[in-house]
Amino acid sequence: MKERIKVNDKVFKPMITNAEIEKAIDGVAEKLNRDFKGCEDVPVLLCILNGSIMFTAELMKRLDFTLELVSMKLSSYVGTHSTGTTREVMGMTGDLNGKRVIIVEDIVDTGNTIVDLDKIVRSKGATDVKICTMLLKPEIYNKPLKLDYVGMEIPNDFIVGFGLDYDEHGRNLPDIYVIDND
Ligand code: IMP
Ligand code: MG
């Protein structure tokens, strides 16, 4: 892992190694397998593009039940700040009607996005919705919605890597870096 990196105009320092992220994903997968292995329906794994591409890919490899992958795109961030309102940028790539859905998010910050997603997914006819997020900023999250599967909790700082971006850059970094304000 490099000491300092530059993404667009900002400097970032190392925060979570790829090995630590993978360990957290192992834990999430274990819980999902415990809850879904052997089920008679085919649950939908809903990948929220683009941030959760890497997380979804790593998670899927570890899941032992038959699932259907559906993706959708939503966006709420401009630069390093949440805008508070989400926009559905690209619709669902598959049908959710009558299915159990596991929403796979990269990170829950204010929770505005996940609350909107939960509503959208229910409005598409999902019979049950579970929330699965790789990361959570618990100091900020203040919504009543239950987060069923959480990989790791992190402080309230802006991060990039492992799918997360700063103005669309930095998603390909295998490790996670945090903004360096010094
Ligand atoms: P929320 O609606 O405030 O919970 O924000 C959730 C979305 O904002 C996530 O899906 C991410 O795409 C993005 N986001 C939140 N925190 C960060 C961060 O630290 N770095 C990059 N993107 C973030
Ligand atoms: Mg996202």
Side-chain angles (χ1 to χ4, degrees), residues 77 82 105-107 109-113 137 158-159 164-165:
Y77 253 66
S82 180
E105 254 291 39
D106 49 359
I107 186 164
D109 183 353
T110 62
N112 291 325
T113 307
K137 293 180 182 173
F158 189 77
I159 59 166
L164 290 131
D165 70 303

Side-chain angles (χ1 to χ4, degrees), residues 48-49 51-52 74 105-106:
I48 309 304
L49 305 172
S52 67
L74 201 77
E105 254 291 39
D106 49 359

